[in-house]
């Protein structure tokens, strides 16, 4: 679990200070396999420092990383190498929202973790779910039963 106590963004020109609103102060829960792996790597990266004010993600000079630096030096080259279209930092929020939704996480928990003011806002992040994700979700929930039902329906229509 990571606690967010302070923030830095492009609007503040990288200066560290209070979060933009009360909802931004939060715990980020990383309990799935990927989250546990990320925490292991993060612990190795941070090392044994006991400075509570040290930035986890910092520039070479020790200051906060700017979003443009992360995008231009990290994310965009990685996406290009993978043959994926360019995306921004907000794509990570959308992806996280979608991943939790497809994993069956309670919508109220997703809304709280995303710090959305309403369920309507959280639904905006869902967007259109690709047909293969829909089929996968049904398959995980009902197994081969869904295929049998689809075959019965197709035979009846023929």
């Amino acid at each position: 679990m990571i606690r967010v106590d302070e923030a830095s963004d492009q609007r503040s020109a990288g200066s560290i200070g209070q979060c933009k609103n009360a909802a931004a102060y939060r715990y980020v829960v990383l309990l799935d396999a990927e989250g546990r792996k990320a925490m292991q790597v993060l612990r190795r990266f941070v090392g044994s420092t006991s400075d509570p004010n040290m930035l986890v993600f910092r520039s070479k000079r020790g200051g906060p990383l700017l979003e443009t630096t992360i995008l231009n030096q990290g994310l965009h080259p990685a996406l290009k190498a993978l043959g994926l279209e360019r995306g921004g930092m907000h794509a990570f929020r959308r992806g996280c929202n979608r991943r939790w939704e497809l994993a069956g996480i309670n919508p109220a928990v997703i809304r709280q973790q995303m710090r959305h003011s309403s369920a309507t806002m959280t639904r905006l992040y869902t967007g259109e779910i690709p047909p293969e994700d829909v089929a996968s979700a049904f398959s995980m929930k009902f197994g081969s039963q869904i295929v049998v039902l689809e075959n019965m329906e197709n035979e009846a229509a023929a």
Side-chain angles (χ1 to χ4, degrees), residues 75-152:
L75 181 61
H76 291 163
L79 292 172
K80 184 176 182 180
L82 293 168
L84 299 173
E85 66 181 71
R86 283 174 57 155
M89 301 304 284
H90 220 78
F92 284 110
R93 283 182 59 81
R94 286 183 172 276
C96 189
N97 189 92
R98 170 66 59 84
R99 188 165 171 259
W100 287 342
E101 184 181 64
L102 292 174
I105 302 294
N106 181 318
V109 172
I110 296 172
R111 185 178 63 77
Q112 176 181 315
Q113 287 300 298
M114 298 297 289
R115 294 300 187 237
H116 290 151
S117 58
S118 68
T120 302
M121 175 61 78
T122 304
R123 279 193 302 275
L124 290 174
Y125 277 76
T126 300
E128 183 66 28
I129 299 174
E132 58 272 11
D133 289 348
V134 172
S136 175
F138 275 101
S139 181
M140 287 188 322
K141 183 75 172 174
F142 300 109
S144 62
Q145 178 183 2
I146 193 72
V147 174
V148 171
L149 292 173
E150 285 177 352
N151 288 342
M152 289 172 56

Side-chain angles (χ1 to χ4, degrees), residues 12-95:
S12 66
S15 64
I16 301 167
Q18 295 181 334
C19 294
K20 64 182 180 181
N21 59 49
Y25 295 93
R26 64 183 173 273
Y27 288 98
V28 179
V29 180
L30 301 166
L31 296 176
D32 61 358
E34 292 87 358
R36 286 193 300 274
K37 175 74 173 169
M39 289 303 295
Q40 289 172 350
V41 172
L42 184 59
R43 282 187 195 100
R44 283 196 305 271
F45 177 75
V46 172
S48 60
T49 184
S50 60
D51 181 1
N53 296 315
M54 185 187 82
L55 297 171
V56 174
F57 305 105
R58 56 193 177 273
S59 69
K60 290 178 183 175
R61 296 182 192 162
L65 289 173
L66 295 177
E67 182 178 347
T68 52
T69 304
I70 296 167
L71 292 173
N72 294 329
Q73 295 179 11
L75 181 61
H76 291 163
L79 292 172
K80 184 176 182 180
L82 293 168
L84 299 173
E85 66 181 71
R86 283 174 57 155
M89 301 304 284
H90 220 78
F92 284 110
R93 283 182 59 81
R94 286 183 172 276

